[in-house]
Amino acid sequence: MIHVDDGRDDARGLPISYGVDDLTLVLQDRRFDRQGRIDYGLSMPDQMMGFMGNVILVNGQLGTQAVVPRGIVRLRLLNGSNARIYPLSFSDRREMHLIATDSGYLNQPVAIESLVIAPGERYEVLVDFSGGEAGTLVSSANPNQMMGGMMGGASTAGGSFVVLPFGVDVRLPARILEIPADLGGVLPDSEARSVNTRQITLDMPMGMGMMMRRSNDRFAINGQSFDMGRIDLSLSKGATEIWQVSSNMMMHPFHVHGVRFQVLAENGKKPSIQNSGWKDTVLVNGRVDILVSFEQTADRANPFMYHCHILEHEDGGMMAQFTVT
Ligand SMILES: [Cu+2]
């Protein structure tokens, strides 16, 4: 995981002691066989819905825990799972203070009790351990069920589970004791602009063809399965567009390379707090409208991608590529 910073986090009043009050947490679910090797045998529901593990790893470790100082602790969260979506919260319902989304800071922290993190998404939150009480980060079950759970089976079974227990060690230096009031982030501006609008549909295989491994019935975007030899969109540098991204049958975390975007609406409504900042990945459950400007160039030899971030979906063809020139 790469941290990008401007060297001013200390002035913002944010925790910056790596591994002490500034923790990077990569969440993954995995399955292991009896020899302890990763088991990546895909069942039919796995092929359709994405791989589901039965154990949770944090930074590649099973059954680990965090020990933090008695103060404000920063968590840099990445969902590195193939397909699992984590609705995260603390078991004692303590607040998390959202400070950053995929591509930048919010203007000020926002207190939230739960945070839904889909594959590919990154969020940063502050958690208050100044009371000295231990806490447990938990997740409820993966909410992504196809057709109301018809295909769910064992892969979506189960209720809440522990992601990471936190203990407090008073000997560790607690440098930050208050949630900062201001982060200095600039939120995307939502002024209406008349720009080109595109429909992007995230398509599941329609019938039994995919299960029979017929190549003409695959995951796709706008009806076309990924083809390395095809450029799907050619955009001009500096262009701004609205993309109306639609999912069907299940939720899809939609990711665009080389840009950051503003979520304008989720199913016609104002975006949720966690989608109010700069994003490059957004969970689409129905329809999400994004406003995106293409500022970085990409030529035919090295195009950018847009794709579902469920690995089995993008590998199956729910991916497309574009140039910016
Ligand atoms: Cu998908």
Side-chain angles (χ1 to χ4, degrees), residues 197-201 221-222 242-246 287 289:
T197 299
R198 260 178 227 284
Q199 322 286 327
I200 307 276
T201 62
I221 291 180
N222 288 347
I242 291 173
W243 285 11
Q244 299 176 333
V245 188
S246 305
R287 197 181 104 184
D289 296 4

Side-chain angles (χ1 to χ4, degrees), residues 40-63:
Y40 188 62
L42 294 179
S43 65
M44 198 171 69
D46 284 339
Q47 290 180 44
M48 290 297 280
M49 305 181 57
F51 171 87
M52 286 292 143
N54 57 6
V55 293
I56 303 301
L57 307 185
V58 178
N59 298 344
Q61 298 181 74
L62 183 61

Side-chain angles (χ1 to χ4, degrees), residues 277-293:
W278 288 105
K279 299 281 292 168
D280 60 32
T281 306
V282 64
L283 185 60
V284 180
N285 182 15
R287 197 181 104 184
V288 170
D289 296 4
I290 61 174
L291 181 69
V292 53
S293 292

Side-chain angles (χ1 to χ4, degrees), residues 48-49 144 202-204 219 250-254 307-314 318:
M48 290 297 280
M49 305 181 57
N144 211 1
L202 307 174
D203 304 323
M204 295 285 283
F219 295 93
M250 56 184 289
M251 305 178 209
H252 302 278
F254 181 69
H307 60 89
C308 175
H309 222 295
I310 293 177
L311 293 192
E312 290 72 26
H313 290 181
E314 62 175 287
M318 196 182 285

